[in-house]
Amino acid sequence: MIDAGLIADHNAARADALVEDYAALGRQLARRGVEIETITAQAQAFSVAVPTWGVGTGGTRFARFPGPGEPRDIHDKLADCAVIQQLCRIIPRVSPHFPWDAVGDYAGLRAEALALGLSFDAVNSNTFQDQPGQALSYKFGSLTHTDAAVRAQAVAHNIDCIRIGQALGASALTVWIADGSNFPGQSDLGAAFDRYLDSMAQIVAAAPDGWRVFIEHKLYEPAFYSTVIADWGSSLMAAQALGPKARCLVDLGHHAPGANIEQIVARLRRAGKLGGFHFNDSKYGDDDLDAGAIDPFRLFLVFNELVGGAQDGAQEDEAPALMIDQSHNVTDPVESLIASAGEIARAHVQALIVDREALAAAQQANDALAAHAALKAAFVTDVAPILAEARRRAGGAIDPVAALRASGWRAEMARQRPAVAAGSAGIV
Ligand code: LRH
Ligand code: MN
């Protein structure tokens, strides 16, 4: 962990400037009828989960270039997540991935996380890779494979993940499958979906009451002609067929360029099937770039739907699970997760300060410019003082990346952990 004294000194050096900026923003917001203290309290209550696979350097199919002090296992990954939480105070939950994070003692892992101030969010299964010693290959699919024995193997793995999740105190399973085809004609598109529903029905049935099973759609990759759960339509059809435990998870990077993701969010909310998010950013494909790095306005518009888009007749019964899913190929992963959590928190606060009355009036009057301006006014407001003050009040750092760098934490990890050779390709 980072020395608490260092964080205190870091904050002390920035306190006067923050007081000044916070007061100025407070006056500006008050003129707009917004009470800054109310927003800051909501910012403090906000949280997002980090992916265990995000604290190590990520890669592409071409290569992975590990950095210094790479986490070696789930224990190092939890320690790194705890440092992010210590500085940001909005990521108290970790989303693990199996078998990447497999250990022998899950009760022990839960206690270890708790001692670090962390708990577990949705667990992720993996039937998109073959594991050493695995009986049957997922080369041609998993839950939708034409061979019932392969499907049974994949179903069993997902049920194992649910049992692990129960031991960790989690209450949701995220199921993303790579199943699809590379050639027209290779797959019976209808039958593949039917096999998906049959396999998922067994997984959903194995989930305890109160649990959620998140269906994660993705347009393409690694399948490059068809993907069984390619879009929100397929995901929603499946979630509606599979019953109340089944919900849809929206990974921002899993859509065609130009897709209107905020409208997808509105539709899934309307259907009562918006289960969760994987936040990241992208310019072309599933680039898994840092949230808010490419298109912060899009991220804001998603939160605008979450905060403001309450709809008559919406069947929504719970808030969606908010999680990050990124691959940090050229930055320090811990710094990127800190920055990304900050960008997600920023989009949330910007959505909270939208003048909803002015927006609704302009929408009703078909005053397009005034309606757009009502959103833009919130988006262009520099809410950084609210974010920093929320962190400070929660015991975090006013400028968490600067505090991390000042602490020399990464150099210390490089000293403690063996260097990892470059070379292997792949996301982790
Ligand atoms: C698939 C995905 C999925 C995870 C994986 C690491 O692209 O978004 O959520 O299992 O990344
Ligand atoms: Mn994802």
Side-chain angles (χ1 to χ4, degrees):
M1 300 294 269
I2 308 290
D3 172 53
L6 181 145
I7 297 175
D9 295 347
H10 164 95
N11 285 349
R14 292 162 177 77
D16 294 349
L18 178 56
V19 167
E20 201 177 303
D21 295 346
Y22 188 80
L25 178 58
R27 289 191 295 275
Q28 183 196 139
L29 291 177
R31 287 197 302 272
R32 288 150 61 172
V34 176
E35 170 46 54
I36 192 169
E37 282 301 314
T38 307
I39 306 297
T40 303
Q42 290 172 293
Q44 272 189 264
F46 178 82
S47 64
V48 60
V50 287
T52 55
W53 62 95
V55 287
T57 300
T60 70
R61 59 182 172 169
F62 299 106
R64 191 172 82 90
F65 302 96
E70 286 284 328
R72 293 158 291 190
D73 54 29
I74 183 61
H75 307 291
D76 285 350
K77 292 175 183 179
L78 288 180
D80 294 4
C81 291
V83 166
I84 301 170
Q85 170 59 357
Q86 185 190 14
L87 295 168
C88 293
R89 300 291 172 172
I90 56 168
I91 62 116
R93 295 180 312 282
V94 173
S95 183
H97 217 299
F98 298 100
W100 292 342
D101 297 325
V103 294
D105 173 13
Y106 289 107
L109 192 65
R110 182 178 184 175
E112 183 182 333
L114 210 55
L116 289 166
L118 300 170
S119 63
F120 289 96
D121 206 308
V123 299
N124 297 267
S125 60
N126 178 343
T127 59
F128 50 85
Q129 295 172 320
D130 288 345
Q131 305 303 328
Q134 185 177 302
L136 302 167
S137 173
Y138 294 133
K139 178 173 181 176
F140 293 106
S142 61
L143 297 177
T144 76
H145 198 288
T146 53
D147 179 346
V150 177
R151 299 198 300 275
Q153 177 183 271
V155 167
H157 166 67
N158 278 278
I159 294 176
D160 287 347
C161 289
I162 290 173
R163 301 298 169 244
I164 292 170
Q166 287 180 274
L168 293 175
S171 59
L173 167 72
T174 298
V175 181
W176 170 70
I177 58 170
D179 295 30
S181 67
N182 279 3
F183 292 86
Q186 175 188 342
S187 174
D188 178 328
L189 303 177
F193 189 71
D194 292 338
R195 293 192 294 267
Y196 177 83
L197 292 180
D198 178 67
S199 296
M200 283 293 281
Q202 299 166 53
I203 296 167
V204 170
D209 291 345
W211 262 62
R212 293 287 175 259
V213 176
F214 297 147
I215 298 169
E216 183 177 1
H217 62 272
K218 181 173 181 178
L219 187 63
Y220 75 100
E221 190 211 31
F224 292 109
Y225 168 66
S226 74
T227 294
V228 177
I229 305 297
D231 53 30
W232 72 278
S234 303
S235 178
L236 182 58
M237 282 173 66
Q240 289 175 330
L242 291 164
K245 289 184 212 162
R247 304 293 168 111
C248 306
L249 183 140
V250 178
D251 184 314
L252 299 195
H254 288 187
H255 303 86
N260 188 323
I261 298 176
E262 56 273 21
Q263 182 163 272
I264 293 171
V265 170
R267 296 289 177 274
L268 293 175
R269 279 192 77 180
R270 183 90 178 60
K273 284 295 184 181
L274 179 62
F277 287 90
H278 278 177
F279 292 114
N280 48 56
D281 212 334
S282 50
K283 190 162 180 61
Y284 303 104
D286 185 22
D287 309 341
D288 279 338
L289 300 174
D290 292 11
I294 304 292
D295 191 349
F297 191 53
R298 180 177 72 170
L299 185 61
F300 159 73
L301 292 173
V302 166
F303 274 92
N304 179 54
E305 281 306 320
L306 289 179
V307 168
Q311 299 161 57
D312 302 343
Q315 298 163 49
E316 184 174 58
D317 57 0
E318 61 199 29
L322 308 180
M323 297 169 277
I324 296 175
D325 177 5
Q326 294 173 186
S327 178
H328 309 111
N329 304 351
V330 295
T331 58
D332 182 303
V334 166
E335 292 186 2
S336 269
L337 285 168
I338 289 173
S340 301
E343 288 308 308
I344 295 164
R346 181 195 308 279
H348 172 243
V349 167
Q350 290 166 330
L352 289 173
I353 63 173
V354 170
D355 183 340
R356 302 260 159 223
E357 270 177 43
L359 177 64
Q363 287 170 338
Q364 188 55 35
N366 295 306
D367 185 342
L369 204 72
H372 183 62
L375 284 189
K376 266 295 184 59
F379 177 68
V380 300
T381 301
D382 178 4
V383 297
I386 289 174
L387 300 168
E389 180 60 9
R391 279 192 296 272
R392 188 193 66 76
R393 291 181 186 182
I398 288 174
D399 183 344
V401 171
L404 181 77
R405 290 186 173 190
S407 74
W409 175 82
R410 178 56 73 189
E412 176 56 23
M413 290 308 109
R415 200 182 60 72
Q416 292 180 16
R417 299 170 180 173
V420 177
S424 65
I427 188 173
V428 293

